[in-house]
Amino acid sequence: MAQKTALIVYAHQSPVSFNAAVRDVAMQELVAQGYRVLVSDLYTMNFRANATQDDIIGDLKTPEHFQYGDETMSAWMEGRLSDDIVAEQRKVEEAELVIFQFPLYWFSVPAVMKGWIDRVLTQGFAFSLKNMYNNGVFKDKKAMLSFTTGAMQTMFKPDGINGDINVTLWPLQNGTLHFCGFQVLAPQIFWSPAHCPADVRTAMLDGWRARVKGLLEEKPLTFAPCELFDLSFQGGFRLWPKVREERESQTYGITTGHHLGKPLPPDNQIKAQPADESSAQPDCRN
């Protein structure tokens, strides 16, 4: 069998940080399972975060009105993207698993990681209107977020001051990873390690080590499949009427984002649903 590959996209400034320790545990365990592990250490690489016309080699298609998405899609098709983007795209292509390791900044990823997302996951390479969500380009790959917080866990409860962590994670996990087709594994959240004693941090790392041992056997999170929607401009890419009717009697919405005015399905963005629940999605294309 061909050797499997994992990519860790890593963003922390300090080589002795807790994030670095988490990264190292993942590397060790994946290598022990026979994986080739690639690491994009974004700060060490001085990876450029800003998306500009410098990402395109050669002439622009419409220099009078630069549109990054259109220009990078054309450049990708013609092999004219900058070398740093191409190198990262090759890593993504080779990887069966992508782990994003970072400290949570302003309820999201650090700027350098956001720049990686903006510049590497270009239109055409990572998505299109025909190839998105469960029909996406990377539907045969798995991805996950692994991150540290400054806040304690209770602060991200539905009644906590920061609000529900499921809502916080929806843009990244649905709007970025699942949009590109990735099967999204439940996030690994390290709650407030900077304010924990050493033995608690050690226990956190031990728990992560144990999880990585069986990571690839985990079921992914549940999202609303494209088949539930009228994927046409005339239909507005909205749920089929039949689906809305079927959901009227349900206690919860479909997902965190597709709540339909109902209570959010519990832990939709932090725990995989049991197989019997996640598979019970109607096919309403007609």
Side-chain angles (χ1 to χ4, degrees):
M1 293 179 61
Q3 186 180 31
K4 292 185 176 182
T5 299
L7 168 62
I8 300 176
V9 184
Y10 171 75
H12 198 286
Q13 303 91 333
S14 173
V16 295
S17 65
F18 188 81
N19 272 268
V22 175
R23 174 203 60 196
D24 291 346
V25 165
M27 291 174 60
Q28 293 162 9
E29 289 302 322
L30 289 168
V31 168
Q33 295 177 44
Y35 275 79
R36 178 174 68 115
V37 180
L38 307 175
V39 177
S40 290
D41 186 340
L42 301 182
Y43 285 109
T44 299
M45 294 162 59
N46 289 319
F47 190 83
R48 183 163 56 82
N50 52 323
T52 69
Q53 65 185 53
D54 291 338
D55 294 342
I56 294 105
I57 298 171
D59 296 333
L60 300 176
K61 297 292 184 183
T62 55
E64 68 278 4
H65 178 43
F66 178 66
Q67 298 191 46
Y68 187 82
D70 292 341
E71 293 286 356
T72 52
M73 180 172 65
S74 295
W76 170 75
M77 294 174 65
E78 298 167 5
R80 296 188 297 107
L81 286 173
S82 61
D83 291 344
D84 59 339
I85 294 176
V86 171
E88 294 304 299
Q89 289 183 342
R90 286 176 179 165
K91 294 177 187 177
V92 175
E93 288 176 332
E94 294 173 8
E96 285 87 5
L97 169 68
V98 182
I99 298 174
F100 293 85
Q101 182 64 54
F102 60 96
L104 194 69
Y105 279 14
W106 295 111
F107 291 22
S108 187
V109 296
V112 68
M113 184 172 284
K114 181 59 165 62
W116 187 98
I117 291 169
D118 290 346
R119 298 179 63 227
V120 176
L121 301 182
T122 57
Q123 188 171 355
F125 170 73
F127 70 92
S128 71
L129 278 180
K130 291 183 178 180
N131 298 293
M132 60 180 179
Y133 293 117
N134 58 301
N135 298 318
V137 174
F138 301 137
K139 62 184 179 181
D140 295 324
K141 300 178 183 289
K142 295 183 178 181
M144 68 174 294
L145 307 179
S146 174
F147 61 92
T148 58
T149 71
M152 59 199 306
Q153 185 174 4
T154 53
M155 295 171 71
F156 276 102
K157 293 288 187 180
D159 62 350
I161 192 168
N162 289 342
D164 191 339
I165 189 65
N166 291 277
V167 176
T168 302
L169 294 176
W170 178 258
L172 283 170
Q173 295 190 153
N174 180 76
T176 301
L177 300 183
H178 185 54
F179 183 74
C180 294
F182 284 110
Q183 301 171 47
V184 185
L185 300 179
Q188 182 72 21
I189 308 175
F190 299 94
W191 298 104
S192 193
H195 303 291
C196 294
D199 61 329
V200 174
R201 293 196 298 272
T202 298
M204 288 179 176
L205 294 176
D206 289 343
W208 173 230
R209 188 183 304 276
R211 184 183 176 193
V212 175
K213 291 181 186 295
L215 194 60
L216 274 297
E217 284 71 51
E218 291 186 5
K219 296 182 181 300
L221 299 173
T222 300
F223 297 90
C226 288
E227 289 74 19
L228 301 188
F229 300 85
D230 180 351
L231 300 180
S232 69
F233 287 100
Q234 182 179 7
F237 293 80
R238 300 183 69 183
L239 286 172
W240 291 104
K242 181 180 178 181
V243 177
R244 290 194 65 94
E245 293 173 9
E246 291 175 344
R247 299 299 304 189
E248 284 300 319
S249 61
Q250 301 296 314
T251 303
Y252 299 107
I254 302 173
T255 65
T256 299
H258 308 101
H259 52 74
L260 308 181
K262 297 175 177 288
L264 303 186
D267 295 336
N268 173 247
Q269 290 299 293
I270 60 175
K271 292 182 181 179
Q273 290 185 9
D276 58 339
E277 295 182 24
S278 61
S279 61
Q281 299 283 5
D283 184 348
C284 301
R285 284 170 283 187
N286 299 314

Short mmCIF file of all heavy atoms in Angstrom, two decimals, residues 221-252:
data_model
loop_
_atom_site.label_atom_id
_atom_site.label_comp_id
_atom_site.label_asym_id
_atom_site.label_seq_id
_atom_site.Cartn_x
_atom_site.Cartn_y
_atom_site.Cartn_z
N LEU A 221 -18.19 15.19 11.23
CA LEU A 221 -19.34 15.97 11.65
C LEU A 221 -20.43 15.92 10.57
O LEU A 221 -20.15 15.62 9.40
CB LEU A 221 -18.93 17.42 11.90
CG LEU A 221 -17.90 17.67 12.99
CD1 LEU A 221 -17.48 19.15 12.99
CD2 LEU A 221 -18.43 17.27 14.36
N THR A 222 -21.64 16.23 10.98
CA THR A 222 -22.78 16.19 10.06
C THR A 222 -23.10 17.59 9.54
O THR A 222 -23.23 18.54 10.31
CB THR A 222 -24.01 15.62 10.77
OG1 THR A 222 -23.72 14.30 11.21
CG2 THR A 222 -25.20 15.57 9.83
N PHE A 223 -23.24 17.68 8.22
CA PHE A 223 -23.63 18.92 7.56
C PHE A 223 -24.83 18.64 6.65
O PHE A 223 -25.11 17.49 6.32
CB PHE A 223 -22.47 19.49 6.75
CG PHE A 223 -21.28 19.88 7.58
CD1 PHE A 223 -20.27 18.96 7.83
CD2 PHE A 223 -21.17 21.15 8.11
CE1 PHE A 223 -19.17 19.31 8.60
CE2 PHE A 223 -20.07 21.51 8.88
CZ PHE A 223 -19.07 20.58 9.13
N ALA A 224 -25.50 19.68 6.23
CA ALA A 224 -26.64 19.51 5.33
C ALA A 224 -26.13 19.22 3.92
O ALA A 224 -25.40 20.03 3.34
CB ALA A 224 -27.49 20.78 5.32
N PRO A 225 -26.49 18.07 3.34
CA PRO A 225 -25.99 17.74 2.00
C PRO A 225 -26.62 18.62 0.93
O PRO A 225 -27.75 19.12 1.09
CB PRO A 225 -26.41 16.27 1.83
CG PRO A 225 -27.57 16.09 2.75
CD PRO A 225 -27.32 16.99 3.92
N CYS A 226 -25.91 18.79 -0.16
CA CYS A 226 -26.39 19.64 -1.25
C CYS A 226 -27.73 19.16 -1.81
O CYS A 226 -28.51 19.96 -2.33
CB CYS A 226 -25.35 19.66 -2.39
SG CYS A 226 -23.86 20.60 -2.01
N GLU A 227 -28.00 17.86 -1.71
CA GLU A 227 -29.23 17.32 -2.26
C GLU A 227 -30.49 17.87 -1.60
O GLU A 227 -31.59 17.73 -2.13
CB GLU A 227 -29.22 15.79 -2.15
CG GLU A 227 -28.24 15.09 -3.07
CD GLU A 227 -26.79 15.24 -2.63
OE1 GLU A 227 -26.56 15.55 -1.45
OE2 GLU A 227 -25.89 15.05 -3.47
N LEU A 228 -30.34 18.51 -0.44
CA LEU A 228 -31.49 19.11 0.23
C LEU A 228 -31.86 20.47 -0.35
O LEU A 228 -32.89 21.03 0.01
CB LEU A 228 -31.21 19.28 1.72
CG LEU A 228 -30.88 18.02 2.55
CD1 LEU A 228 -30.83 18.37 4.02
CD2 LEU A 228 -31.91 16.93 2.30
N PHE A 229 -31.04 20.98 -1.28
CA PHE A 229 -31.21 22.34 -1.77
C PHE A 229 -31.48 22.37 -3.27
O PHE A 229 -31.01 21.52 -4.03
CB PHE A 229 -29.96 23.17 -1.47
CG PHE A 229 -29.63 23.27 -0.01
CD1 PHE A 229 -28.90 22.26 0.63
CD2 PHE A 229 -30.07 24.34 0.74
CE1 PHE A 229 -28.61 22.34 1.98
CE2 PHE A 229 -29.77 24.43 2.10
CZ PHE A 229 -29.05 23.43 2.71
N ASP A 230 -32.23 23.37 -3.69
CA ASP A 230 -32.42 23.65 -5.11
C ASP A 230 -31.22 24.45 -5.58
O ASP A 230 -31.14 25.66 -5.37
CB ASP A 230 -33.72 24.45 -5.31
CG ASP A 230 -33.99 24.78 -6.77
OD1 ASP A 230 -33.12 24.54 -7.63
OD2 ASP A 230 -35.09 25.30 -7.06
N LEU A 231 -30.27 23.76 -6.19
CA LEU A 231 -29.00 24.38 -6.55
C LEU A 231 -29.10 25.09 -7.89
O LEU A 231 -28.40 24.77 -8.86
CB LEU A 231 -27.88 23.34 -6.57
CG LEU A 231 -27.62 22.61 -5.25
CD1 LEU A 231 -26.48 21.61 -5.41
CD2 LEU A 231 -27.31 23.60 -4.14
N SER A 232 -29.97 26.08 -7.94
CA SER A 232 -30.15 26.88 -9.16
C SER A 232 -30.31 28.33 -8.74
O SER A 232 -30.74 28.64 -7.62
CB SER A 232 -31.39 26.43 -9.94
OG SER A 232 -32.59 26.75 -9.23
N PHE A 233 -29.97 29.23 -9.66
CA PHE A 233 -30.14 30.65 -9.36
C PHE A 233 -31.62 30.98 -9.26
O PHE A 233 -32.02 31.84 -8.46
CB PHE A 233 -29.45 31.50 -10.43
CG PHE A 233 -27.95 31.48 -10.32
CD1 PHE A 233 -27.19 30.67 -11.14
CD2 PHE A 233 -27.31 32.26 -9.37
CE1 PHE A 233 -25.81 30.63 -11.03
CE2 PHE A 233 -25.91 32.24 -9.25
CZ PHE A 233 -25.18 31.42 -10.08
N GLN A 234 -32.43 30.30 -10.05
CA GLN A 234 -33.86 30.53 -9.98
C GLN A 234 -34.41 30.13 -8.60
O GLN A 234 -35.25 30.81 -8.02
CB GLN A 234 -34.59 29.74 -11.07
CG GLN A 234 -36.09 29.97 -11.08
CD GLN A 234 -36.77 29.20 -12.19
OE1 GLN A 234 -36.15 28.39 -12.89
NE2 GLN A 234 -38.07 29.43 -12.38
N GLY A 235 -33.90 29.01 -8.07
CA GLY A 235 -34.33 28.53 -6.76
C GLY A 235 -33.62 29.19 -5.61
O GLY A 235 -33.96 28.94 -4.44
N GLY A 236 -32.61 30.00 -5.92
CA GLY A 236 -31.91 30.74 -4.88
C GLY A 236 -31.02 29.89 -3.99
O GLY A 236 -30.61 30.34 -2.91
N PHE A 237 -30.72 28.64 -4.41
CA PHE A 237 -29.88 27.74 -3.62
C PHE A 237 -30.47 27.52 -2.22
O PHE A 237 -29.75 27.39 -1.24
CB PHE A 237 -28.45 28.26 -3.52
CG PHE A 237 -27.72 28.27 -4.84
CD1 PHE A 237 -27.93 29.29 -5.76
CD2 PHE A 237 -26.84 27.27 -5.18
CE1 PHE A 237 -27.27 29.31 -6.99
CE2 PHE A 237 -26.17 27.25 -6.40
CZ PHE A 237 -26.39 28.28 -7.31
N ARG A 238 -31.80 27.45 -2.16
CA ARG A 238 -32.49 27.28 -0.88
C ARG A 238 -33.01 25.85 -0.74
O ARG A 238 -33.06 25.09 -1.71
CB ARG A 238 -33.64 28.28 -0.77
CG ARG A 238 -33.19 29.73 -0.85
CD ARG A 238 -34.35 30.68 -0.67
NE ARG A 238 -34.86 30.65 0.70
CZ ARG A 238 -35.91 31.35 1.10
NH1 ARG A 238 -36.56 32.12 0.24
NH2 ARG A 238 -36.31 31.27 2.36
N LEU A 239 -33.39 25.51 0.48
CA LEU A 239 -33.96 24.18 0.72
C LEU A 239 -35.16 23.94 -0.18
O LEU A 239 -35.97 24.84 -0.42
CB LEU A 239 -34.41 24.06 2.18
CG LEU A 239 -33.35 23.92 3.27
CD1 LEU A 239 -34.01 24.02 4.63
CD2 LEU A 239 -32.60 22.60 3.15
N TRP A 240 -35.26 22.69 -0.66
CA TRP A 240 -36.47 22.32 -1.38
C TRP A 240 -37.67 22.47 -0.44
O TRP A 240 -37.57 22.17 0.76
CB TRP A 240 -36.38 20.87 -1.86
CG TRP A 240 -35.37 20.62 -2.94
CD1 TRP A 240 -34.15 20.04 -2.80
CD2 TRP A 240 -35.52 20.92 -4.33
NE1 TRP A 240 -33.51 19.96 -4.01
CE2 TRP A 240 -34.33 20.50 -4.97
CE3 TRP A 240 -36.53 21.51 -5.09
CZ2 TRP A 240 -34.13 20.64 -6.34
CZ3 TRP A 240 -36.33 21.65 -6.47
CH2 TRP A 240 -35.15 21.22 -7.07
N PRO A 241 -38.81 22.93 -0.96
CA PRO A 241 -40.01 23.05 -0.10
C PRO A 241 -40.36 21.77 0.64
O PRO A 241 -40.78 21.82 1.80
CB PRO A 241 -41.10 23.44 -1.10
CG PRO A 241 -40.37 24.15 -2.20
CD PRO A 241 -39.05 23.43 -2.32
N LYS A 242 -40.17 20.63 -0.01
CA LYS A 242 -40.48 19.35 0.63
C LYS A 242 -39.63 19.15 1.87
O LYS A 242 -40.09 18.59 2.88
CB LYS A 242 -40.27 18.21 -0.36
CG LYS A 242 -40.59 16.83 0.20
CD LYS A 242 -40.37 15.74 -0.84
CE LYS A 242 -40.65 14.36 -0.26
NZ LYS A 242 -40.41 13.29 -1.25
N VAL A 243 -38.38 19.58 1.82
CA VAL A 243 -37.49 19.43 2.97
C VAL A 243 -37.99 20.29 4.13
O VAL A 243 -38.03 19.84 5.28
CB VAL A 243 -36.04 19.81 2.60
CG1 VAL A 243 -35.13 19.73 3.82
CG2 VAL A 243 -35.52 18.90 1.50
N ARG A 244 -38.34 21.52 3.85
CA ARG A 244 -38.86 22.40 4.90
C ARG A 244 -40.10 21.80 5.55
O ARG A 244 -40.25 21.84 6.78
CB ARG A 244 -39.17 23.78 4.34
CG ARG A 244 -37.95 24.60 3.94
CD ARG A 244 -38.33 26.06 3.72
NE ARG A 244 -38.77 26.67 4.96
CZ ARG A 244 -37.98 27.36 5.78
NH1 ARG A 244 -36.69 27.50 5.49
NH2 ARG A 244 -38.46 27.89 6.88
N GLU A 245 -40.96 21.22 4.72
CA GLU A 245 -42.18 20.61 5.26
C GLU A 245 -41.84 19.44 6.18
O GLU A 245 -42.42 19.28 7.26
CB GLU A 245 -43.07 20.12 4.11
CG GLU A 245 -43.67 21.23 3.27
CD GLU A 245 -44.39 20.70 2.05
OE1 GLU A 245 -44.58 19.45 1.95
OE2 GLU A 245 -44.77 21.51 1.18
N GLU A 246 -40.87 18.62 5.75
CA GLU A 246 -40.48 17.45 6.54
C GLU A 246 -39.84 17.86 7.87
O GLU A 246 -39.92 17.13 8.85
CB GLU A 246 -39.53 16.57 5.75
CG GLU A 246 -40.19 15.86 4.58
CD GLU A 246 -39.20 15.09 3.73
OE1 GLU A 246 -37.98 15.36 3.87
OE2 GLU A 246 -39.63 14.24 2.94
N ARG A 247 -39.20 19.04 7.88
CA ARG A 247 -38.51 19.47 9.09
C ARG A 247 -39.43 20.17 10.08
O ARG A 247 -39.03 20.44 11.21
CB ARG A 247 -37.36 20.42 8.73
CG ARG A 247 -36.27 19.83 7.84
CD ARG A 247 -35.58 18.65 8.45
NE ARG A 247 -34.98 18.92 9.74
CZ ARG A 247 -34.18 18.09 10.39
NH1 ARG A 247 -33.90 16.91 9.85
NH2 ARG A 247 -33.67 18.39 11.57
N GLU A 248 -40.64 20.48 9.67
CA GLU A 248 -41.55 21.22 10.55
C GLU A 248 -41.80 20.49 11.87
O GLU A 248 -41.95 21.11 12.91
CB GLU A 248 -42.88 21.48 9.83
CG GLU A 248 -42.83 22.59 8.79
CD GLU A 248 -42.43 23.93 9.39
OE1 GLU A 248 -42.91 24.25 10.50
OE2 GLU A 248 -41.65 24.66 8.76
N SER A 249 -41.86 19.17 11.81
CA SER A 249 -42.18 18.40 13.01
C SER A 249 -40.95 18.08 13.86
O SER A 249 -41.07 17.50 14.94
CB SER A 249 -42.87 17.09 12.62
OG SER A 249 -42.01 16.29 11.81
N GLN A 250 -39.76 18.47 13.38
CA GLN A 250 -38.53 18.15 14.09
C GLN A 250 -38.26 19.17 15.20
O GLN A 250 -38.58 20.35 15.07
CB GLN A 250 -37.34 18.13 13.12
CG GLN A 250 -37.48 17.13 12.00
CD GLN A 250 -37.52 15.70 12.50
OE1 GLN A 250 -36.72 15.31 13.34
NE2 GLN A 250 -38.46 14.92 11.99
N THR A 251 -37.69 18.69 16.28
CA THR A 251 -37.40 19.57 17.42
C THR A 251 -36.30 20.57 17.11
O THR A 251 -36.39 21.75 17.49
CB THR A 251 -36.99 18.73 18.65
OG1 THR A 251 -38.03 17.80 18.95
CG2 THR A 251 -36.73 19.62 19.85
N TYR A 252 -35.27 20.10 16.40
CA TYR A 252 -34.09 20.92 16.14
C TYR A 252 -33.97 21.27 14.66
O TYR A 252 -34.57 20.62 13.80
CB TYR A 252 -32.82 20.17 16.57
CG TYR A 252 -32.78 19.83 18.03
CD1 TYR A 252 -32.95 18.51 18.47
CD2 TYR A 252 -32.56 20.81 19.00
CE1 TYR A 252 -32.90 18.19 19.82
CE2 TYR A 252 -32.51 20.51 20.35
CZ TYR A 252 -32.69 19.19 20.74
OH TYR A 252 -32.64 18.88 22.08
#
